[in-house]
Amino acid sequence: TQTVSQSDAHVTVFEGDSVELRCNYSYGGSIYLSWYIQHHGHGLQFLLKYYSGNPVVQGVNGFEAEFSKSDSSFHLRKASVHWSDSAVYFCAVSPNSGTYQRFGTGTKLQVVP
Amino acid sequence: EAAVTQSPRNKVTVTGGNVTLSCRQTNSHNYMYWYRQDTGHGLRLIHYSYGAGNLQIGDVPDGYKATRTTQEDFFLLLELASPSQTSLYFCASSDVGNTLYFGEGSRLIVV
């Protein structure tokens, strides 16, 4: 069974700061790992995903994430956040078949102007 | 642009009532999903389907039925709604590449 955990429910940073949102997973085989963003009152939108190859993947709007097999992690990073990055971020894991995704509990990022 | 449309966007029903949530996608995707979102739980998978007439059970299926009538349309049925089913429901579709495209959500309140 694939599971994903996000240990930080809330993260607050100032505009222009860097941020790292943490995601850890457990799995029994090959998996996809993804990050999604949810702005208040809307559905989730895809940011980036990893399956194989370069462990650092680039996403939209300056986000990147790094896969680590040894740490069972897939942390999301941004070098300089903007107030518009305030949202809830979800990490998701999917089996190799890609048939479904399981989500973490989400991390609410608040960027203070 | 991929599109997933949910209806109704908001619904209030009484305990024991009958509710149908509808989802239509115009992405030509094979896979469609129903999730519920609750504080502290994130998104939890209720049911999903990989084509018309197909239904797969997710992680929290109890109290829910679903039906995929066409490639475009996926319905979630609550035949005897309970207050524990008060939630924000999301429909999503995906292609083989595994990226989910979500609707805007349907907020259901069961009183």
Side-chain angles (χ1 to χ4, degrees):
Chain A
T1 301
Q2 295 83 12
T3 62
V4 60
S5 64
Q6 295 179 249
S7 55
D8 299 318
H10 295 90
V11 172
T12 300
V13 297
F14 288 98
E15 194 168 30
D17 285 352
S18 63
V19 70
E20 179 177 87
L21 305 182
R22 294 181 293 184
C23 173
N24 291 90
Y25 61 88
S26 65
Y27 70 99
S30 298
I31 56 172
Y32 289 90
L33 289 159
S34 304
W35 277 96
Y36 290 80
I37 181 173
Q38 183 183 34
H39 291 285
H40 182 71
H42 293 279
L44 282 71
Q45 292 179 286
F46 173 76
L47 277 179
L48 48 78
K49 69 181 174 186
Y50 172 82
Y51 176 63
S52 64
N54 188 336
V56 179
V57 292
Q58 304 295 323
V60 298
N61 203 22
F63 286 96
E64 68 175 30
E66 183 167 5
F67 168 75
S68 170
K69 187 173 183 178
S70 60
D71 293 340
S72 297
S73 68
F74 188 57
H75 302 329
L76 181 71
R77 302 188 295 242
K78 187 170 184 178
S80 178
V81 295
H82 187 263
W83 64 265
S84 61
D85 293 323
S86 296
V88 181
Y89 292 79
F90 289 95
C91 184
V93 62
S94 175
N96 184 31
S97 61
T99 51
Y100 60 84
Q101 293 191 34
R102 285 200 176 96
F103 287 82
T105 52
T107 297
K108 185 174 184 178
L109 175 64
Q110 181 177 6
V111 180
V112 180
Chain B
E1 180 80 19
V4 179
T5 305
Q6 296 183 230
S7 64
R9 294 292 312 277
N10 294 280
K11 175 76 175 179
V12 179
T13 191
V14 296
T15 299
N18 199 315
V19 176
T20 298
L21 304 182
S22 302
C23 178
R24 167 163 285 195
Q25 56 105 355
T26 58
N27 309 323
S28 300
H29 288 163
N30 288 324
Y31 285 89
M32 294 186 74
Y33 307 84
W34 279 106
Y35 287 90
R36 61 178 290 174
Q37 182 178 11
D38 305 285
T39 303
H41 292 278
L43 276 79
R44 293 180 288 176
L45 181 63
I46 304 170
H47 290 297
Y48 65 103
S49 165
Y50 56 74
N54 175 263
L55 181 65
Q56 302 295 316
I57 294 173
D59 295 325
V60 289
D62 292 346
Y64 301 97
K65 292 184 179 180
T67 180
R68 181 89 176 270
T69 55
T70 65
Q71 186 185 37
E72 295 79 18
D73 298 302
F74 194 31
F75 301 92
L76 186 67
L77 295 79
L78 292 72
E79 294 184 331
L80 287 171
S82 72
S84 64
Q85 294 176 307
T86 292
S87 187
L88 180 58
Y89 291 87
F90 284 102
C91 177
S93 72
S94 74
D95 56 16
V96 177
N98 196 235
T99 298
L100 293 177
Y101 294 87
F102 282 84
E104 290 289 276
S106 295
R107 185 169 295 280
L108 175 66
I109 297 173
V110 184
V111 298

